[in-house]
Amino acid sequence: MTGRELRERFRERFGLEPRVFRAPGRVNLIGDHTDYSDGFVLPAAIHLAAWVAVAARPEPAVLAISQNLADEYAFSIGNGEARRRGAWTDYVEGVAVTLGKAGFPITGGVLLIDSEVPIGAGLSSSASLEVAVASALLANSGQAAEPLELALLCQRAENEFAGMRCGIMDQFTACFGRRGSALLLDCRTLGHWLVPLPSGVRIVVCNTMVRHTLAGSEYNRRREDCETAARLLGVKALRDVSAADLARRAADLPEQLARRARHVVTENARVRQAADALRRGDCTAFGSSMNESHTSLRDDFEVSCAELDLMAELARRQPGVYGARMTGGGFGGSVVSLVEDQHVNRFLDEVTAGYRASTGIAPDLTICHAAAGAEEVLG
Ligand code: GLA
């Protein structure tokens, strides 16, 4: 669905003229499970987005209708009764509550939502929804926030209301994405640099179509592991540990925490090397870093799963593939691959057939284009 179609649907259904906002999903090229340790990440916003059409209504309540999920939910504003429901609506109500607490009191409205970002695919469907909803609710209440504030408020909504202790990568990317570029983000300073994607290669996302239960609780547990390791090493965050420090101090940590720390420390180094490689157009070096990242996430951080490992393996076997790795939080979701242009069609056919033959599951493969961050859709 395009913004124009959503606007039309809104007019037909409510007889009102809405404003329309979009916020993109993201694919992380490298740097997973580093953001909440103040580390480095290299994501790109993608062409798949969450769309929200909004118009005011007189009652102090929000009616949110999801077209893609065929569900709707109404809640009152500011009555202190908002509770987590464990559903998509948490991202809407959580954003409304968080905006109110942060000094952006919102007014009543109706939201018509349509998202193209697949749920559970590791492409940030929740962050894109949060950022699109926040943009719509703010505009509907005659307010605005700077993109950085918007990203931080949406992260807070997810941490405090939805109960997922995510880092800043996804919401930041949904706000700051740039067409044709990846973003190198320092998650401590929130400084970021655009890294243009080289021509002649494609970013292909291969959704395994599996999402293991426990993904949320395991995510929070990994974050705790990193916080404990940092405390034991006497630093603010694992970002402050160098490879040399870790080699000297690893024996001070329980074995599992030492592996968690090693992932974060080596991944931070890989992100910076990979960003340099991309700037030089050295796809071979970039792909090697991607492959090493997957191994580290699988063995040291233990957030991969059999289906992701198989998908990465199948991808790497194809001609013209520089590298492949799981992307996002893990425990299911997607593998991202960097594939030479002229090999991409064969890649799509072979990986689809190979994955289906091994698992009986039809995967979903998408060529992703780096897109712009959240914006109001005019016209
Ligand atoms: C999820 C979280 C992000 C990040 C990734 C892993 O997408 O929302 O903050 O931690 O997992 O890199």
Side-chain angles (χ1 to χ4, degrees), residues 90-379:
D90 290 344
Y91 303 117
V92 181
E93 195 168 15
V95 161
V97 168
T98 306
L99 286 173
K101 282 193 191 157
F104 294 98
I106 60 155
T107 53
V110 51
L111 306 176
L112 186 61
I113 301 169
D114 195 55
S115 180
E116 307 155 336
V117 188
I119 294 171
L123 300 179
S124 272
S125 60
S126 43
S128 58
L129 178 58
E130 288 154 5
V131 172
V133 164
S135 308
L137 288 176
L138 282 169
N140 187 54
S141 324
Q143 304 175 87
E146 291 298 317
L148 183 56
E149 186 159 30
L150 191 64
L152 290 165
L153 286 168
C154 289
Q155 181 199 19
R156 192 185 306 162
E158 185 147 351
N159 288 172
E160 294 175 3
F161 197 89
M164 161 89 169
R165 296 186 62 218
C166 64
I168 190 61
M169 169 168 69
D170 303 349
Q171 292 81 5
F172 191 96
T173 311
C175 292
F176 286 90
R178 187 71 68 85
R179 202 184 150 97
S181 282
L183 306 175
L184 172 63
L185 170 64
D186 177 336
C187 298
R188 171 166 282 167
T189 63
L190 300 181
H192 76 283
W193 300 266
L194 296 177
V195 185
L197 294 169
S199 57
V201 287
R202 297 299 187 110
I203 295 167
V204 185
V205 167
C206 306
N207 184 352
T208 62
M209 309 305 278
V210 303
R211 184 77 190 153
H212 293 280
T213 49
L214 294 182
S217 54
E218 284 295 323
Y219 181 94
N220 287 349
R221 203 164 295 153
R222 291 301 181 285
R223 182 165 179 163
E224 267 171 40
D225 286 350
C226 291
E227 288 166 355
T228 309
R231 204 171 48 245
L232 293 173
L233 292 170
V235 292
K236 180 162 178 278
L238 288 178
R239 147 71 174 272
D240 301 308
V241 180
S242 69
D245 291 338
L246 192 65
R248 234 180 321 111
R249 303 277 316 275
D252 300 349
L253 296 176
E255 190 270 340
Q256 192 184 64
L257 288 191
R259 281 190 288 117
R260 302 289 189 254
R262 185 168 61 190
H263 165 69
V264 177
V265 170
T266 57
E267 186 83 346
N268 278 333
R270 277 188 292 272
V271 171
R272 280 175 290 177
Q273 281 161 11
D276 286 345
L278 209 54
R279 287 197 184 101
R280 298 193 305 270
D282 186 347
C283 292
T284 305
F286 189 84
S288 307
S289 295
M290 291 175 87
N291 293 342
E292 286 164 23
S293 166
H294 184 87
T295 305
S296 178
L297 287 158
R298 183 191 65 201
D299 298 344
D300 280 349
F301 218 68
E302 296 179 280
V303 291
S304 188
C305 63
E307 295 87 350
L308 285 169
D309 295 342
L310 169 71
M311 191 69 94
E313 203 39 59
L314 283 170
R316 287 178 201 152
R317 256 190 242 152
Q318 308 309 317
V321 172
Y322 290 106
R325 61 183 287 278
M326 58 157 277
T327 183
F331 306 105
S334 300
V335 160
V336 56
S337 304
L338 193 65
V339 186
E340 246 180 300
D341 238 345
Q342 73 261 35
H343 291 285
V344 89
N345 288 332
R346 166 133 186 241
F347 177 93
L348 298 175
D349 291 345
E350 295 287 321
V351 173
T352 301
Y355 185 77
R356 186 182 295 174
S358 299
T359 61
I361 303 169
D364 184 22
L365 273 60
T366 310
I367 299 174
C368 283
H369 306 281
E375 62 191 355
E376 179 164 9
V377 182
L378 302 169

Side-chain angles (χ1 to χ4, degrees), residues 13-29:
R13 187 155 175 179
F14 302 104
L16 295 169
E17 186 59 32
R19 291 176 72 179
V20 180
F21 296 83
R22 69 167 265 286
R26 62 103 189 92
V27 59
N28 191 18
L29 300 180

